[in-house]
Amino acid sequence: GQNIDQPTEMTATEGAIVQINCTYQTSGFNGLFWYQQHAGEAPTFLSYNVLDGLEEKGRFSSFLSRSKGYSYLLLKELQMKDSASYLCAPKNAGNMLTFGGGTRLMVKP
Amino acid sequence: KAGVTQTPRYLIKTRGQQVTLSCSPISGHRSVSWYQQTPGQGLQFLFEYFSETQRNKGNFPGRFSGRQFSNSRSEMNVSTLELGDSALYLCASSLSTSGTDTQYFGPGTRLTVL
């Protein structure tokens, strides 16, 4: 089976850095995706990690440790528009993504 | 390149009715996956189609079915609607079934069952 755990809610201040953690258990691991979803909208792709280490993409970075079943998404220089849900989604063998419940991030001025 | 499109965007049905939702993937994408999103359960995988064949299936009852056409467009059907089927239905397309392929989501169809 598959199990994904990430915090339900986080609050951070504009301009700060926030780290959203995700632990997972999955069979036939084939990479891990992070998606951003604003309220009432579809998820949009942020990052993909298949090898251990850090992937940096502008203000967003994502880290993966396959041996620990652990990933995090790092958001720097937070902006108000970053207020959204962040979804951790490991992919198993084939094309099946399993989504965690998401972390709702609120950015305050 | 146009993104994933879904029709209709909003739908209201009553219990017992059936509904068909449509998804057109990004041009060149051959894999289409369907998800149900509710506040209580989050995003749950329904099924995935590739080259007109169902490749994966989630844990949903047989009332939920789908198909894919030769042009990669996909439809999903829900029969004998229940109140609990009220949800946002999202489809996502990717190039193939390779592990590295990213899934891109459409805007979703918001289904309300009364």
Side-chain angles (χ1 to χ4, degrees):
Chain A
Q2 301 185 113
N3 190 36
I4 299 124
D5 192 34
Q6 52 180 128
T8 306
E9 281 189 1
M10 298 182 72
T11 302
T13 305
E14 194 175 13
I17 299 173
V18 70
Q19 178 175 313
I20 302 173
N21 296 322
C22 171
T23 58
Y24 63 89
Q25 291 177 313
T26 185
S27 55
F29 180 77
N30 208 3
L32 187 141
F33 290 80
W34 283 94
Y35 283 84
Q36 179 193 60
Q37 186 177 26
H38 285 99
E41 298 181 11
T44 55
F45 168 73
L46 286 179
S47 69
Y48 171 69
N49 294 68
V50 66
L51 299 176
D52 290 351
L54 188 68
E55 293 278 345
E56 296 187 78
K57 194 187 288 187
R59 293 189 300 115
F60 293 5
S61 303
S62 56
F63 172 84
L64 176 68
S65 169
R66 289 171 295 172
S67 62
K68 294 181 180 177
Y70 168 68
S71 175
Y72 68 72
L73 181 69
L74 193 71
L75 292 76
K76 303 175 189 174
E77 301 168 18
L78 280 172
Q79 302 175 9
M80 298 298 291
K81 68 177 182 179
D82 297 330
S83 293
S85 287
Y86 292 85
L87 307 172
C88 167
K91 181 183 275 190
N92 66 4
N95 207 29
M96 191 169 156
L97 283 177
T98 302
F99 285 85
T103 297
R104 198 165 88 177
L105 174 66
M106 288 176 281
V107 180
K108 296 186 174 179
Chain B
K1 198 183 255 190
V4 179
T5 58
Q6 292 186 245
T7 56
R9 293 293 311 278
Y10 301 92
L11 207 48
I12 299 175
K13 293 283 188 180
T14 56
R15 277 183 301 175
Q17 288 187 306
Q18 75 163 15
V19 67
T20 299
L21 312 181
S22 180
C23 171
S24 292
I26 292 171
S27 178
H29 284 193
R30 297 170 64 192
S31 172
V32 173
S33 298
W34 287 90
Y35 297 86
Q36 181 196 65
Q37 187 172 35
T38 59
Q41 299 295 321
L43 256 169
Q44 293 188 288
F45 173 76
L46 280 156
F47 27 65
E48 185 243 343
Y49 286 87
F50 179 78
S51 292
E52 302 177 65
T53 302
Q54 188 180 87
R55 296 291 295 266
N56 286 300
K57 190 177 189 308
N59 294 324
F60 278 82
R63 301 185 297 107
F64 291 81
S65 63
R67 59 178 176 168
Q68 186 180 35
F69 302 94
S70 58
N71 61 358
S72 294
R73 189 177 71 86
S74 178
E75 288 181 346
M76 68 162 280
N77 184 278
V78 189
S79 61
T80 321
L81 283 167
E82 300 177 359
L83 295 178
D85 296 334
S86 294
L88 180 66
Y89 290 88
L90 293 159
C91 83
S93 75
S94 61
L95 275 171
S96 68
T97 57
S98 165
T100 61
D101 284 340
T102 299
Q103 291 189 9
Y104 295 94
F105 284 84
T109 294
R110 172 82 56 190
L111 172 65
T112 302
V113 182
L114 303 175

